[in-house]
Amino acid sequence: MDLESILSTEIANGVTIGDLFTVEFLASLLGDVVLAIVLLLAAFTVSGWVRRRIEGLASKHKQLDDTLFGFLANIARYIILAFAALFILNTFGVRTTSLVAAIGAAGVAIGLALQGTLSNLAAGIMLIIFRPIKVGDFVEVGDQMGTVKSITLNMTELASLENVQILIPNSEVWGNEIKNYSVYPTRRAEWYFGVSYDSNLAEAERIIRETLIADGRTHSDPEPFVQVNNLGDSSVDFLVRAWVDSGDYFAYQADMKRAVKEALDAGGIGIPFPTRTVVHDNAPIRLAAANAAE
């Protein structure tokens, strides 16, 4: 085969190998490349601007969730870039319909191989859309407790009470029991305080109630609840409940234990230790003593 035959060989759509070396083809190719670069730069610029605008809505309006709008902003950005990529491929004559079909078939195979990752991705989308938790909430997920630091499409990050990073796959977060301690503005604290059986119960109740009311963190509506709840083996037990702001709960609950103990001591109300009365049969004891003397 001579050179002329090679150059006249058709590649696609009437284009021969010889056409690739013509000035017209090179100019056309250069124009397509320049157009593709311009479209790509424009797509990145527009997608970045759209993402910032969507994220800005959450920062301007405090009632909107930052995580949700960050997710929507990224989705919008990727959609714009995907359309730009398809347009650029069409410019170069690539049949995008066949390409999309091939990507879809590959996606099915990849999805089967990455079921765990995709389940985390699906759970992450559900967490972001329905928002059972959000950044800054103090939560308990399964046996893990901490403050939510971030929610991505794959992982949820918590900071434990010891300020240790905890990373939980989203599928475990979504499929587990979630206790969110930050949803409601108030919480109810609860204690059991025991006093001795010979104590003045009315006086003990008054001391406990006044100790609670004296603390500025205690809510007056609903008012504190103080009532005898149980007659134990060695003590009369008071059930005590009071409402407090959620942010004060842990410190308040610990402080009240000490404050009530000190107030009861100051009021002469005893808090007994468990005791047991043992009755001995004196006869065997005397007999044993006599045998020992002999």
Side-chain angles (χ1 to χ4, degrees), residues 172-207:
E172 295 184 15
V173 178
W174 182 253
N176 221 323
E177 178 182 297
I178 300 175
K179 292 182 180 180
N180 193 330
Y181 297 101
S182 301
V183 171
Y184 303 122
T186 59
R187 288 186 64 183
R188 189 186 72 185
E190 182 174 299
W191 310 266
Y192 287 92
F193 296 112
V195 300
S196 59
Y197 269 92
D198 58 356
S199 299
N200 185 326
L201 298 183
E203 179 67 10
E205 180 180 340
R206 182 191 66 80
I207 291 174

mmCIF file of all heavy atoms in Angstrom, residues 172-207:
data_model
loop_
_atom_site.group_PDB
_atom_site.id
_atom_site.type_symbol
_atom_site.label_atom_id
_atom_site.label_comp_id
_atom_site.label_asym_id
_atom_site.label_seq_id
_atom_site.Cartn_x
_atom_site.Cartn_y
_atom_site.Cartn_z
ATOM 1 N N GLU A 172 -24.179 3.477 60.060
ATOM 2 C CA GLU A 172 -24.373 3.125 61.460
ATOM 3 C C GLU A 172 -25.113 4.228 62.212
ATOM 4 O O GLU A 172 -25.860 3.953 63.149
ATOM 5 C CB GLU A 172 -23.022 2.853 62.123
ATOM 6 C CG GLU A 172 -22.293 1.643 61.569
ATOM 7 C CD GLU A 172 -21.001 1.353 62.318
ATOM 8 O OE1 GLU A 172 -20.828 1.907 63.429
ATOM 9 O OE2 GLU A 172 -20.178 0.578 61.796
ATOM 10 N N VAL A 173 -24.903 5.475 61.795
ATOM 11 C CA VAL A 173 -25.619 6.583 62.439
ATOM 12 C C VAL A 173 -27.097 6.517 62.081
ATOM 13 O O VAL A 173 -27.968 6.556 62.959
ATOM 14 C CB VAL A 173 -25.024 7.937 61.999
ATOM 15 C CG1 VAL A 173 -25.813 9.092 62.626
ATOM 16 C CG2 VAL A 173 -23.564 8.035 62.401
ATOM 17 N N TRP A 174 -27.398 6.394 60.794
ATOM 18 C CA TRP A 174 -28.786 6.395 60.333
ATOM 19 C C TRP A 174 -29.534 5.148 60.801
ATOM 20 O O TRP A 174 -30.731 5.210 61.092
ATOM 21 C CB TRP A 174 -28.828 6.501 58.815
ATOM 22 C CG TRP A 174 -30.212 6.567 58.250
ATOM 23 C CD1 TRP A 174 -30.883 5.585 57.577
ATOM 24 C CD2 TRP A 174 -31.106 7.682 58.320
ATOM 25 N NE1 TRP A 174 -32.133 6.005 57.223
ATOM 26 C CE2 TRP A 174 -32.298 7.298 57.672
ATOM 27 C CE3 TRP A 174 -31.017 8.951 58.874
ATOM 28 C CZ2 TRP A 174 -33.394 8.155 57.551
ATOM 29 C CZ3 TRP A 174 -32.109 9.807 58.770
ATOM 30 C CH2 TRP A 174 -33.278 9.410 58.106
ATOM 31 N N GLY A 175 -28.836 4.017 60.886
ATOM 32 C CA GLY A 175 -29.497 2.772 61.262
ATOM 33 C C GLY A 175 -29.494 2.504 62.749
ATOM 34 O O GLY A 175 -29.903 1.419 63.177
ATOM 35 N N ASN A 176 -29.043 3.445 63.559
ATOM 36 C CA ASN A 176 -28.938 3.245 64.994
ATOM 37 C C ASN A 176 -29.868 4.188 65.735
ATOM 38 O O ASN A 176 -30.416 5.135 65.163
ATOM 39 C CB ASN A 176 -27.488 3.493 65.461
ATOM 40 C CG ASN A 176 -27.039 2.480 66.497
ATOM 41 O OD1 ASN A 176 -27.814 2.071 67.349
ATOM 42 N ND2 ASN A 176 -25.780 2.085 66.410
ATOM 43 N N GLU A 177 -30.035 3.923 67.031
ATOM 44 C CA GLU A 177 -30.808 4.835 67.872
ATOM 45 C C GLU A 177 -30.010 6.099 68.129
ATOM 46 O O GLU A 177 -28.834 6.050 68.498
ATOM 47 C CB GLU A 177 -31.146 4.152 69.199
ATOM 48 C CG GLU A 177 -31.900 5.040 70.171
ATOM 49 C CD GLU A 177 -32.164 4.344 71.495
ATOM 50 O OE1 GLU A 177 -32.881 3.320 71.488
ATOM 51 O OE2 GLU A 177 -31.636 4.805 72.509
ATOM 52 N N ILE A 178 -30.643 7.254 67.909
ATOM 53 C CA ILE A 178 -29.980 8.541 68.092
ATOM 54 C C ILE A 178 -30.660 9.287 69.233
ATOM 55 O O ILE A 178 -31.873 9.486 69.220
ATOM 56 C CB ILE A 178 -30.045 9.390 66.807
ATOM 57 C CG1 ILE A 178 -29.359 8.668 65.643
ATOM 58 C CG2 ILE A 178 -29.402 10.754 67.042
ATOM 59 C CD1 ILE A 178 -29.505 9.394 64.322
ATOM 60 N N LYS A 179 -29.871 9.680 70.227
ATOM 61 C CA LYS A 179 -30.367 10.544 71.294
ATOM 62 C C LYS A 179 -29.716 11.913 71.106
ATOM 63 O O LYS A 179 -28.510 12.059 71.221
ATOM 64 C CB LYS A 179 -30.005 9.987 72.675
ATOM 65 C CG LYS A 179 -30.726 8.692 73.019
ATOM 66 C CD LYS A 179 -30.357 8.238 74.427
ATOM 67 C CE LYS A 179 -31.074 6.935 74.788
ATOM 68 N NZ LYS A 179 -30.716 6.478 76.151
ATOM 69 N N ASN A 180 -30.554 12.900 70.822
ATOM 70 C CA ASN A 180 -30.058 14.260 70.599
ATOM 71 C C ASN A 180 -30.415 15.116 71.810
ATOM 72 O O ASN A 180 -31.580 15.437 72.045
ATOM 73 C CB ASN A 180 -30.672 14.855 69.328
ATOM 74 C CG ASN A 180 -29.966 16.114 68.887
ATOM 75 O OD1 ASN A 180 -29.423 16.857 69.706
ATOM 76 N ND2 ASN A 180 -29.969 16.371 67.597
ATOM 77 N N TYR A 181 -29.393 15.468 72.593
ATOM 78 C CA TYR A 181 -29.626 16.217 73.826
ATOM 79 C C TYR A 181 -29.713 17.727 73.590
ATOM 80 O O TYR A 181 -29.916 18.479 74.552
ATOM 81 C CB TYR A 181 -28.492 15.937 74.820
ATOM 82 C CG TYR A 181 -28.419 14.492 75.256
ATOM 83 C CD1 TYR A 181 -27.477 13.619 74.701
ATOM 84 C CD2 TYR A 181 -29.292 13.983 76.216
ATOM 85 C CE1 TYR A 181 -27.410 12.295 75.101
ATOM 86 C CE2 TYR A 181 -29.219 12.663 76.618
ATOM 87 C CZ TYR A 181 -28.287 11.823 76.054
ATOM 88 O OH TYR A 181 -28.223 10.501 76.443
ATOM 89 N N SER A 182 -29.555 18.161 72.348
ATOM 90 C CA SER A 182 -29.527 19.596 72.058
ATOM 91 C C SER A 182 -30.787 20.100 71.360
ATOM 92 O O SER A 182 -30.882 21.295 71.071
ATOM 93 C CB SER A 182 -28.307 19.924 71.182
ATOM 94 O OG SER A 182 -27.112 19.552 71.815
ATOM 95 N N VAL A 183 -31.729 19.214 71.073
ATOM 96 C CA VAL A 183 -32.913 19.630 70.321
ATOM 97 C C VAL A 183 -33.795 20.554 71.150
ATOM 98 O O VAL A 183 -34.241 21.611 70.686
ATOM 99 C CB VAL A 183 -33.714 18.401 69.854
ATOM 100 C CG1 VAL A 183 -35.051 18.837 69.258
ATOM 101 C CG2 VAL A 183 -32.914 17.615 68.837
ATOM 102 N N TYR A 184 -34.065 20.177 72.409
ATOM 103 C CA TYR A 184 -34.963 20.950 73.253
ATOM 104 C C TYR A 184 -34.156 21.891 74.146
ATOM 105 O O TYR A 184 -33.072 21.541 74.621
ATOM 106 C CB TYR A 184 -35.828 20.020 74.094
ATOM 107 C CG TYR A 184 -36.620 19.044 73.268
ATOM 108 C CD1 TYR A 184 -36.478 17.669 73.451
ATOM 109 C CD2 TYR A 184 -37.488 19.483 72.277
ATOM 110 C CE1 TYR A 184 -37.189 16.770 72.682
ATOM 111 C CE2 TYR A 184 -38.199 18.593 71.497
ATOM 112 C CZ TYR A 184 -38.052 17.234 71.707
ATOM 113 O OH TYR A 184 -38.747 16.349 70.946
ATOM 114 N N PRO A 185 -34.688 23.074 74.421
ATOM 115 C CA PRO A 185 -33.916 24.072 75.187
ATOM 116 C C PRO A 185 -33.782 23.747 76.670
ATOM 117 O O PRO A 185 -32.913 24.294 77.336
ATOM 118 C CB PRO A 185 -34.716 25.362 74.983
ATOM 119 C CG PRO A 185 -36.118 24.905 74.704
ATOM 120 C CD PRO A 185 -35.976 23.618 73.954
ATOM 121 N N THR A 186 -34.646 22.880 77.217
ATOM 122 C CA THR A 186 -34.588 22.563 78.644
ATOM 123 C C THR A 186 -34.526 21.055 78.851
ATOM 124 O O THR A 186 -34.939 20.269 77.987
ATOM 125 C CB THR A 186 -35.818 23.115 79.389
ATOM 126 O OG1 THR A 186 -37.016 22.551 78.821
ATOM 127 C CG2 THR A 186 -35.887 24.628 79.290
ATOM 128 N N ARG A 187 -33.994 20.666 80.037
ATOM 129 C CA ARG A 187 -33.961 19.266 80.426
ATOM 130 C C ARG A 187 -34.370 19.136 81.886
ATOM 131 O O ARG A 187 -34.249 20.094 82.666
ATOM 132 C CB ARG A 187 -32.551 18.677 80.249
ATOM 133 C CG ARG A 187 -32.151 18.481 78.798
ATOM 134 C CD ARG A 187 -30.817 17.773 78.717
ATOM 135 N NE ARG A 187 -30.889 16.424 79.265
ATOM 136 C CZ ARG A 187 -29.852 15.614 79.365
ATOM 137 N NH1 ARG A 187 -28.655 16.025 79.010
ATOM 138 N NH2 ARG A 187 -29.992 14.398 79.869
ATOM 139 N N ARG A 188 -34.827 17.955 82.254
ATOM 140 C CA ARG A 188 -35.217 17.710 83.635
ATOM 141 C C ARG A 188 -34.130 16.905 84.338
ATOM 142 O O ARG A 188 -33.776 15.811 83.911
ATOM 143 C CB ARG A 188 -36.541 16.940 83.689
ATOM 144 C CG ARG A 188 -37.121 16.834 85.093
ATOM 145 C CD ARG A 188 -38.337 15.943 85.106
ATOM 146 N NE ARG A 188 -37.957 14.536 84.938
ATOM 147 C CZ ARG A 188 -38.838 13.545 84.809
ATOM 148 N NH1 ARG A 188 -40.132 13.814 84.785
ATOM 149 N NH2 ARG A 188 -38.423 12.304 84.669
ATOM 150 N N ALA A 189 -33.606 17.464 85.416
ATOM 151 C CA ALA A 189 -32.627 16.759 86.240
ATOM 152 C C ALA A 189 -33.365 15.975 87.323
ATOM 153 O O ALA A 189 -34.436 16.391 87.784
ATOM 154 C CB ALA A 189 -31.655 17.749 86.878
ATOM 155 N N GLU A 190 -32.790 14.847 87.719
ATOM 156 C CA GLU A 190 -33.467 13.983 88.693
ATOM 157 C C GLU A 190 -32.445 13.384 89.655
ATOM 158 O O GLU A 190 -31.356 12.976 89.249
ATOM 159 C CB GLU A 190 -34.229 12.880 87.960
ATOM 160 C CG GLU A 190 -35.005 11.945 88.863
ATOM 161 C CD GLU A 190 -35.849 10.952 88.071
ATOM 162 O OE1 GLU A 190 -36.735 11.396 87.320
ATOM 163 O OE2 GLU A 190 -35.600 9.729 88.182
ATOM 164 N N TRP A 191 -32.799 13.354 90.951
ATOM 165 C CA TRP A 191 -31.939 12.776 91.979
ATOM 166 C C TRP A 191 -32.782 11.977 92.968
ATOM 167 O O TRP A 191 -34.004 12.159 93.065
ATOM 168 C CB TRP A 191 -31.205 13.855 92.797
ATOM 169 C CG TRP A 191 -30.495 14.900 92.015
ATOM 170 C CD1 TRP A 191 -29.188 14.918 91.641
ATOM 171 C CD2 TRP A 191 -31.052 16.139 91.545
ATOM 172 N NE1 TRP A 191 -28.890 16.073 90.960
ATOM 173 C CE2 TRP A 191 -30.016 16.840 90.891
ATOM 174 C CE3 TRP A 191 -32.332 16.712 91.602
ATOM 175 C CZ2 TRP A 191 -30.210 18.083 90.304
ATOM 176 C CZ3 TRP A 191 -32.529 17.947 91.011
ATOM 177 C CH2 TRP A 191 -31.474 18.621 90.376
ATOM 178 N N TYR A 192 -32.101 11.107 93.732
ATOM 179 C CA TYR A 192 -32.692 10.438 94.897
ATOM 180 C C TYR A 192 -31.826 10.787 96.105
ATOM 181 O O TYR A 192 -30.623 10.551 96.108
ATOM 182 C CB TYR A 192 -32.738 8.921 94.702
ATOM 183 C CG TYR A 192 -33.794 8.465 93.716
ATOM 184 C CD1 TYR A 192 -33.476 8.299 92.361
ATOM 185 C CD2 TYR A 192 -35.094 8.205 94.126
ATOM 186 C CE1 TYR A 192 -34.438 7.890 91.458
ATOM 187 C CE2 TYR A 192 -36.063 7.785 93.225
ATOM 188 C CZ TYR A 192 -35.735 7.638 91.892
ATOM 189 O OH TYR A 192 -36.688 7.241 90.997
ATOM 190 N N PHE A 193 -32.440 11.383 97.115
ATOM 191 C CA PHE A 193 -31.748 11.713 98.359
ATOM 192 C C PHE A 193 -32.392 10.945 99.506
ATOM 193 O O PHE A 193 -33.615 10.997 99.687
ATOM 194 C CB PHE A 193 -31.825 13.220 98.646
ATOM 195 C CG PHE A 193 -31.130 14.062 97.610
ATOM 196 C CD1 PHE A 193 -31.845 14.890 96.758
ATOM 197 C CD2 PHE A 193 -29.743 14.026 97.494
ATOM 198 C CE1 PHE A 193 -31.199 15.663 95.819
ATOM 199 C CE2 PHE A 193 -29.088 14.804 96.551
ATOM 200 C CZ PHE A 193 -29.817 15.618 95.706
ATOM 201 N N GLY A 194 -31.567 10.216 100.277
ATOM 202 C CA GLY A 194 -32.073 9.434 101.404
ATOM 203 C C GLY A 194 -31.778 10.109 102.727
ATOM 204 O O GLY A 194 -30.689 10.650 102.925
ATOM 205 N N VAL A 195 -32.757 10.094 103.652
ATOM 206 C CA VAL A 195 -32.567 10.629 105.011
ATOM 207 C C VAL A 195 -32.909 9.513 105.999
ATOM 208 O O VAL A 195 -33.609 8.543 105.665
ATOM 209 C CB VAL A 195 -33.444 11.869 105.256
ATOM 210 C CG1 VAL A 195 -33.095 12.970 104.264
ATOM 211 C CG2 VAL A 195 -34.935 11.529 105.168
ATOM 212 N N SER A 196 -32.426 9.665 107.212
ATOM 213 C CA SER A 196 -32.651 8.624 108.213
ATOM 214 C C SER A 196 -34.129 8.581 108.629
ATOM 215 O O SER A 196 -34.867 9.563 108.478
ATOM 216 C CB SER A 196 -31.771 8.882 109.438
ATOM 217 O OG SER A 196 -32.077 10.153 109.998
ATOM 218 N N TYR A 197 -34.545 7.440 109.197
ATOM 219 C CA TYR A 197 -35.944 7.252 109.562
ATOM 220 C C TYR A 197 -36.376 8.170 110.705
ATOM 221 O O TYR A 197 -37.553 8.493 110.823
ATOM 222 C CB TYR A 197 -36.178 5.788 109.950
ATOM 223 C CG TYR A 197 -36.602 4.944 108.769
ATOM 224 C CD1 TYR A 197 -35.647 4.267 107.993
ATOM 225 C CD2 TYR A 197 -37.932 4.816 108.428
ATOM 226 C CE1 TYR A 197 -36.018 3.496 106.919
ATOM 227 C CE2 TYR A 197 -38.319 4.049 107.339
ATOM 228 C CZ TYR A 197 -37.363 3.389 106.590
ATOM 229 O OH TYR A 197 -37.748 2.632 105.509
ATOM 230 N N ASP A 198 -35.459 8.601 111.534
ATOM 231 C CA ASP A 198 -35.838 9.469 112.646
ATOM 232 C C ASP A 198 -35.771 10.952 112.277
ATOM 233 O O ASP A 198 -35.914 11.826 113.138
ATOM 234 C CB ASP A 198 -34.954 9.200 113.865
ATOM 235 C CG ASP A 198 -33.476 9.412 113.559
ATOM 236 O OD1 ASP A 198 -33.149 9.699 112.387
ATOM 237 O OD2 ASP A 198 -32.654 9.276 114.494
ATOM 238 N N SER A 199 -35.568 11.273 110.974
ATOM 239 C CA SER A 199 -35.506 12.665 110.546
ATOM 240 C C SER A 199 -36.897 13.266 110.432
ATOM 241 O O SER A 199 -37.895 12.563 110.220
ATOM 242 C CB SER A 199 -34.797 12.784 109.192
ATOM 243 O OG SER A 199 -33.473 12.324 109.249
ATOM 244 N N ASN A 200 -36.972 14.573 110.533
ATOM 245 C CA ASN A 200 -38.206 15.320 110.307
ATOM 246 C C ASN A 200 -38.379 15.453 108.796
ATOM 247 O O ASN A 200 -37.681 16.226 108.128
ATOM 248 C CB ASN A 200 -38.116 16.702 110.963
ATOM 249 C CG ASN A 200 -39.427 17.480 110.861
ATOM 250 O OD1 ASN A 200 -40.154 17.364 109.891
ATOM 251 N ND2 ASN A 200 -39.701 18.266 111.896
ATOM 252 N N LEU A 201 -39.308 14.692 108.238
ATOM 253 C CA LEU A 201 -39.443 14.637 106.781
ATOM 254 C C LEU A 201 -39.877 15.980 106.195
ATOM 255 O O LEU A 201 -39.424 16.371 105.116
ATOM 256 C CB LEU A 201 -40.429 13.544 106.381
ATOM 257 C CG LEU A 201 -40.037 12.112 106.783
ATOM 258 C CD1 LEU A 201 -41.068 11.118 106.271
ATOM 259 C CD2 LEU A 201 -38.649 11.756 106.243
ATOM 260 N N ALA A 202 -40.762 16.681 106.891
ATOM 261 C CA ALA A 202 -41.202 17.991 106.400
ATOM 262 C C ALA A 202 -40.036 18.966 106.339
ATOM 263 O O ALA A 202 -39.887 19.745 105.388
ATOM 264 C CB ALA A 202 -42.318 18.536 107.295
ATOM 265 N N GLU A 203 -39.177 18.935 107.359
ATOM 266 C CA GLU A 203 -38.014 19.810 107.371
ATOM 267 C C GLU A 203 -37.023 19.424 106.275
ATOM 268 O O GLU A 203 -36.430 20.300 105.610
ATOM 269 C CB GLU A 203 -37.336 19.734 108.745
ATOM 270 C CG GLU A 203 -36.087 20.580 108.894
ATOM 271 C CD GLU A 203 -36.377 22.065 108.839
ATOM 272 O OE1 GLU A 203 -37.567 22.463 108.871
ATOM 273 O OE2 GLU A 203 -35.401 22.851 108.758
ATOM 274 N N ALA A 204 -36.829 18.128 106.076
ATOM 275 C CA ALA A 204 -35.930 17.677 105.016
ATOM 276 C C ALA A 204 -36.439 18.117 103.648
ATOM 277 O O ALA A 204 -35.661 18.594 102.802
ATOM 278 C CB ALA A 204 -35.778 16.157 105.070
ATOM 279 N N GLU A 205 -37.748 18.001 103.436
ATOM 280 C CA GLU A 205 -38.329 18.434 102.161
ATOM 281 C C GLU A 205 -38.137 19.936 101.960
ATOM 282 O O GLU A 205 -37.821 20.398 100.870
ATOM 283 C CB GLU A 205 -39.811 18.081 102.121
ATOM 284 C CG GLU A 205 -40.491 18.508 100.821
ATOM 285 C CD GLU A 205 -41.965 18.145 100.787
ATOM 286 O OE1 GLU A 205 -42.374 17.249 101.568
ATOM 287 O OE2 GLU A 205 -42.704 18.751 99.992
ATOM 288 N N ARG A 206 -38.335 20.720 103.027
ATOM 289 C CA ARG A 206 -38.170 22.167 102.927
ATOM 290 C C ARG A 206 -36.726 22.528 102.569
ATOM 291 O O ARG A 206 -36.478 23.388 101.706
ATOM 292 C CB ARG A 206 -38.563 22.826 104.252
ATOM 293 C CG ARG A 206 -38.476 24.359 104.230
ATOM 294 C CD ARG A 206 -38.613 24.925 105.617
ATOM 295 N NE ARG A 206 -37.488 24.546 106.478
ATOM 296 C CZ ARG A 206 -36.302 25.156 106.449
ATOM 297 N NH1 ARG A 206 -36.072 26.160 105.605
ATOM 298 N NH2 ARG A 206 -35.320 24.757 107.257
ATOM 299 N N ILE A 207 -35.772 21.879 103.194
ATOM 300 C CA ILE A 207 -34.366 22.186 102.934
ATOM 301 C C ILE A 207 -34.001 21.865 101.487
ATOM 302 O O ILE A 207 -33.337 22.657 100.800
ATOM 303 C CB ILE A 207 -33.469 21.398 103.915
ATOM 304 C CG1 ILE A 207 -33.649 21.926 105.341
ATOM 305 C CG2 ILE A 207 -32.004 21.478 103.493
ATOM 306 C CD1 ILE A 207 -32.916 21.113 106.390
#
